[in-house]
Amino acid sequence: MKQPKGKKMKPTFFVFCEGKTEAAYVDLLRRSFRVPMEIIARVSDSNISQPYIDRSKREKFTTIDDKTFLMFDLDVPGMIERLRKIKDVVLLLSNPCVEYWFLLHYKDICCELSSAECVARLKKQDDDYTKGTFSNEMKKVLVESIEIATKRAVAKEAYSNPSSTVHLLTNEILKNMRE
């Protein structure tokens, strides 16, 4: 498929993620910021690979400016080593889990956490939180507090517990909107 003449196409963000929570969050970003995104969800660590990514993207319209992101939790041993073998991707990794990224929208947390502790702390912020769904109030916080969460995330050592690099996606979205 050719790009229309005289029109600059916005890049598509391909986001491969492991679960419904990550997919729901990326969908929230796509709808809130109206950014072209393809969400390829439910990719388990056992089948995320270069050939899988290449096959998934082959069926889509792509441009040279597109970006590919891998959004996974680091509570699975060996995950980071597996993901680092994949070329030309941006790693959106949360340690221990994506709920840590959500927590950073509410407060700065520096102590080591388990996935269960992240979910429990998030439920204290929003009683209605369950994996894969967000209340309207939480959606508002997750969209309006991105810059605060980003500042908090950048101050952490990437891939350590606790940390998140999901801000690499939100930064690209915000940059894309300004262009």
Side-chain angles (χ1 to χ4, degrees):
M1 203 183 294
K2 277 190 161 183
Q3 181 171 320
K5 282 191 177 183
K7 267 199 156 183
K8 171 98 169 101
M9 296 283 293
K10 292 221 179 237
T12 298
F13 298 152
F14 291 89
V15 183
F16 292 81
C17 55
E18 65 182 317
K20 64 181 181 177
T21 303
E22 291 85 353
Y25 177 67
V26 174
D27 186 56
L28 172 66
L29 294 175
R30 174 174 57 189
R31 286 183 289 111
S32 298
F33 296 103
R34 301 188 193 290
V35 178
M37 297 177 112
E38 288 284 338
I39 304 166
I40 302 94
R42 303 248 185 241
V43 182
S44 72
D45 62 323
S46 60
N47 69 2
I48 187 68
S49 63
Q50 194 72 55
Y52 178 82
I53 290 170
D54 294 342
R55 263 192 321 276
S56 298
K57 288 172 63 177
R58 195 173 305 133
E59 301 162 6
K60 311 285 185 193
F61 176 81
T62 59
T63 70
I64 195 151
D65 295 325
D66 294 346
K67 293 192 186 296
T68 302
F69 300 88
L70 305 181
M71 182 182 273
F72 286 84
D73 295 341
L74 289 180
D75 58 356
V76 176
M79 178 60 83
I80 193 165
E81 292 79 10
R82 182 176 186 83
L83 296 175
R84 281 185 167 153
K85 293 177 184 173
I86 300 171
K87 298 179 303 206
D88 301 320
V89 297
V90 179
L91 299 178
L92 308 175
L93 307 178
S94 296
N95 192 354
C97 58
V98 73
E99 282 82 4
Y100 179 71
W101 167 247
F102 304 155
L103 280 169
L104 290 176
H105 291 71
Y106 293 96
K107 58 170 74 168
D108 198 4
I109 299 171
C110 300
C111 62
E112 192 168 313
L113 298 163
S114 68
S115 295
E117 289 170 319
C118 283
V119 172
R121 285 181 182 223
L122 199 54
K123 279 184 135 334
K124 286 182 182 172
Q125 297 299 321
D126 186 322
D127 293 337
D128 297 327
Y129 178 73
T130 57
K131 290 189 85 51
T133 59
F134 308 111
S135 67
N136 287 334
E137 184 58 35
M138 188 174 202
K139 287 177 186 176
K140 185 177 178 188
V141 170
L142 291 176
V143 170
E144 292 178 359
S145 301
I146 285 174
E147 290 179 12
I148 293 166
T150 296
K151 285 179 185 164
R152 292 171 177 161
V154 168
K156 311 287 182 269
E157 182 183 338
Y159 317 134
S160 65
N161 184 335
S163 69
S164 180
T165 59
V166 174
H167 65 279
L168 299 173
L169 173 62
T170 59
N171 287 348
E172 281 296 322
I173 290 170
L174 296 174
K175 179 179 136 193
N176 189 47
M177 289 183 58
R178 290 189 288 269
E179 292 176 349

